[in-house]
């Protein structure tokens, strides 16, 4: 039986996939140079995905902006960081370079019909409905409503410190993760999973936290997902999972079931509330379950705005119930790990760079005192409890420079992939040397079915675009000589997928725009949030969340590195009142 199970669940699909994906000969990418295959199964993937920045930058230094690499089973793919080539992939020919089948099929099974599981017209329709939900106007309204979460994070950390103002080592990482989960669930769904309550746990919290680790363990099975979805009914897919000896597969199904159950419950409560707005307190209390924030969010959460917009839209543009449900887990998942990584990295940098931390604190104190004075806000308590409105917080020059630079040098998502759905030509900004003739070439033919890896990491570290110090963390690059914020036209509120118009001053005057060449990213020319029609829809939210959490924490505490390497701690409570 065990042998049959292994044959059925692992070996058979493996052989089948190997058969159907046998490389055609001669190699259609033979003229593109790249590293030798380093492992019969892993190709170069283990080096690219595990060996980090150094290996990735070495590759680019040696071969240029388009490189032939070997994926699993030696399949040839392209690794791209050239600015013009990326403009073609994510903007100009985004209809050709779509998400891989593996990505779409896997996401659909996990998240349902949300943004990260759909393609073409369906995705366009969803984006059209969702883009206004993430508008600047909505972010402005959301900021004060979610400020209590940052205060709660602060009080949880302060409660672990001695009251005499002395230092204490505290592992802050789990609290950053709990905090961002609370942010996205309250702001996204108008719901609390009480992730910041030390003694309470919720099955959804545990499920979402274990989703990425479980999916990671199944990385090698992911290529079989489209095959399974195409050829097996739900019944047989479930049976395969039941029989499979692969525990993470069964874990993943359990996680998906928990997430699905919670989102359905929240969704139908929300719908019922919106459909019965007049039966306010008594009836609504009856449908509200524990965790439902109801009036506290004042209808400003992303899901409520989306449901209202959907209900009042033209029937041809309206999203189905399945599509609305699909957005819930999608938004939570997309906005949780990424923001946790960004905030944790930033806190780590601030703990290492104490002068940077002090400079942000000073900038913040000045801004809060000025704001209080301009609004006649009495200073009863300490300056750090004054809440800055969205526009003031977002335009603090030094804080902004530090956040941008951190997101550029350490992008939380570093590599993405796309598949070319038809044969096309990829033009290059910077020529590469042909592997067959040794001559410079300005474009590469990409055969139908080729997978391209978008290297956000290499793009954000490209010396030709960012300067010789591209890999240095230097926030000053985002500031003028007088310490003002460098203005960039590319900080577009509109997520329309257009390429930057290059109008921000003379060539080379702004970061990421050397000699007029820049990347098509939605955020400050960097590729951290991608660009084009599938750029991160939540980047304004992420920026706001990072700034709100960091400023709330560092206005009340000093952070420094721990005595043990690679651990993060709070050293000392801030007493500068
Ligand atoms: C620092 C934090 C974040 C980073 C670095 C980030 C980065 C990205 C990137 C690179 C993509 C493109 C993925 C792909 O094409 O495969 C993306 C897509 C997406 N992001 Fe973010 N993200 C962040 C935070 C957020 C937040 C807070 C939300 C929600 C509130 C969010 C929602 C989404 C969604 C829904 C998509 C899919 C868009 C689509 O396919 O149309 N992200 N994000």
């Amino acid at each position: 039986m065990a042998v049959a199970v292994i044959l059925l669940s692992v070996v058979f699909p493996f052989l089948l996939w190997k058969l159907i994906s046998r490389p055609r000969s001669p190699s259609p990418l033979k003229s593109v140079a790249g590293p030798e295959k380093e492992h019969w199964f892993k190709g170069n993937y283990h080096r690219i995905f595990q060996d980090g920045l150094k290996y990735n930058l070495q590759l680019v230094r040696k071969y240029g902006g388009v490189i032939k690499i070997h994926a699993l089973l030696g399949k040839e793919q392209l690794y791209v960081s050239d600015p013009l080539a990326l403009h073609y992939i994510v903007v100009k020919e985004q209809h050709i370079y779509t998400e891989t089948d593996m990505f779409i099929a896997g996401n659909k099974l996990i998240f349902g019909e949300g943004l990260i599981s759909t393609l073409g017209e369906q995705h366009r329709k969803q984006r059209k409905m969702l883009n206004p939900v993430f508008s600047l106007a909505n972010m402005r309204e959301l900021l004060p409503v979610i400020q209590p979460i940052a205060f709660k994070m602060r009080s949880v950390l302060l409660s672990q410190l001695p009251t005499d103002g002395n230092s204490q080592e505290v592992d802050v990482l789990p609290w950053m993760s709990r905090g961002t989960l609370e942010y996205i669930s309250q702001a996204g769904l108008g719901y609390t999973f009480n992730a910041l309550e030390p003694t309470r746990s919720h099955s959804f919290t545990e499920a979402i936290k274990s989703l990425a680790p479980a999916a990671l363990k199944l990385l090698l099975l992911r290529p079989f997902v489209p095959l399974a979805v195409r050829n097996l009914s739900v019944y047989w897919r479930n049976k395969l999972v039941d029989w499979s000896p692969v525990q993470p597969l069964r874990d993943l199904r359990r996680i998906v079931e928990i997430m699905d159950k919670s989102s359905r419950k929240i969704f139908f409560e929300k719908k019922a509330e919106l459909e019965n707005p007049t039966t306010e307190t008594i009836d609504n209390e009856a449908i509200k379950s524990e965790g439902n924030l109801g009036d506290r969010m004042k209808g400003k959460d992303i899901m409520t705005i989306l449901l209202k917009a959907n209900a009042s839209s033209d029937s041809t543009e309206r999203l189905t119930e399945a599509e609305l449900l699909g957005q819930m887990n999608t938004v939570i998942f997309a906005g949780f790990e990424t923001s946790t990584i960004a905030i944790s990295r930033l806190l780590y940098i601030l703990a290492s760079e104490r002068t940077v931390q002090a400079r942000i604190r000073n900038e913040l104190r000045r801004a809060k005192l000025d704001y209080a004075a301009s609004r006649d806000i009495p200073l009863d308590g300490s300056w750090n409890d004054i809440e800055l409105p969205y526009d003031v917080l977002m335009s603090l020059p030094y804080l902004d420079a530090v956040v941008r630079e951190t997101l550029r040098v350490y992008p939380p998502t570093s590599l993405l992939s796309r598949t070319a759905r038809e044969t096309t030509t990829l033009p290059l900004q910077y020529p590469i040397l042909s592997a067959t003739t040794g001559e410079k070439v300005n474009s590469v033919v990409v055969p139908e079915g080729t997978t391209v890896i978008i290297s956000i990491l290499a793009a954000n570290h490209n010396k030709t675009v960012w300067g010789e110090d591209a890999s240095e963390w230097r926030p000053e690059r985002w500031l003028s000589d007088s310490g003002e914020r460098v203005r960039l036209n590319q900080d577009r509120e509109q997520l329309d997928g257009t390429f930057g118009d290059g109008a921000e001053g003379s060539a080379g005057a702004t970061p990421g725009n050397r000699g007029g060449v820049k990347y098509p990213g939605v955020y400050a020319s960097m590729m951290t949030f991608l660009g084009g029609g599938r750029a991160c829809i939540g980047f304004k939210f992420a920026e706001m969340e990072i700034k709100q959490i960091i400023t709330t924490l560092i206005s009340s505490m000093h952070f420094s590195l721990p005595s043990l390497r690679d651990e993060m701690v709070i050293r000392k409570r801030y007493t500068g009142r």
Side-chain angles (χ1 to χ4, degrees), residues 396-406 475-476 478-479 485:
L396 295 177
Y398 193 62
L399 172 68
D400 190 65
V402 166
V403 171
R404 277 174 202 254
E405 188 65 348
T406 305
E476 287 71 23
W478 300 99
L479 298 170
R485 222 170 130 211

Side-chain angles (χ1 to χ4, degrees), residues 80-95:
V80 184
S81 62
D82 179 273
L84 186 59
L86 286 181
H87 170 53
Y88 267 69
I89 293 169
V90 304
V91 181
K92 194 155 187 200
E93 292 192 341
Q94 54 181 300
H95 57 289

Side-chain angles (χ1 to χ4, degrees), residues 99 103 115-116 123 127 134 184 330-331 334-335 338-339 342 407 412-413 416 418 456 528-530 533-538 541-542 545-546:
E99 253 76 2
F103 180 85
L115 270 181
I116 55 173
H123 179 263
R127 263 318 271 228
F134 286 90
I184 194 64
T330 298
V331 165
T338 45
S339 301
L407 288 168
T413 309
L416 296 172
R418 299 285 191 263
I456 293 176
T528 303
F529 295 99
L530 211 68
R534 296 195 81 109
C536 178
I537 203 167
F541 180 92
E545 176 188 14
I546 294 168

Side-chain angles (χ1 to χ4, degrees), residues 25-26 42 50 58 65 97 169 188 329 381 392 405 411 447 470 506 522:
S25 58
K42 297 187 239 176
Q50 287 168 3
Q58 261 169 16
Y97 296 96
E169 293 202 354
N329 287 330
V392 180
E405 188 65 348
S506 58
V522 275

Side-chain angles (χ1 to χ4, degrees), residues 408 461-471 477 512 514:
R408 182 186 72 83
H461 284 253
N462 187 336
K463 288 187 181 174
T464 330
V465 172
W466 297 97
E468 276 307 306
D469 61 355
S471 291
R477 78 175 75 239
R514 285 210 145 196

Side-chain angles (χ1 to χ4, degrees), residues 112 116 122 146 182 197 223 244-245 252 260 284-285 356 360 387 389 425 439 443 473 482 490 494-495 513 549 563:
I116 55 173
Q122 188 183 9
I146 51 178
E182 218 26 39
E197 296 297 333
S244 164
L252 189 61
D260 186 56
N284 279 359
E285 283 309 324
V356 174
I360 297 181
E387 292 177 36
T425 301
E439 287 172 3
S443 63
W473 186 85
S482 57
Q490 282 149 307
Q494 202 186 349
L495 291 165
N513 185 17
I549 291 180
S563 48

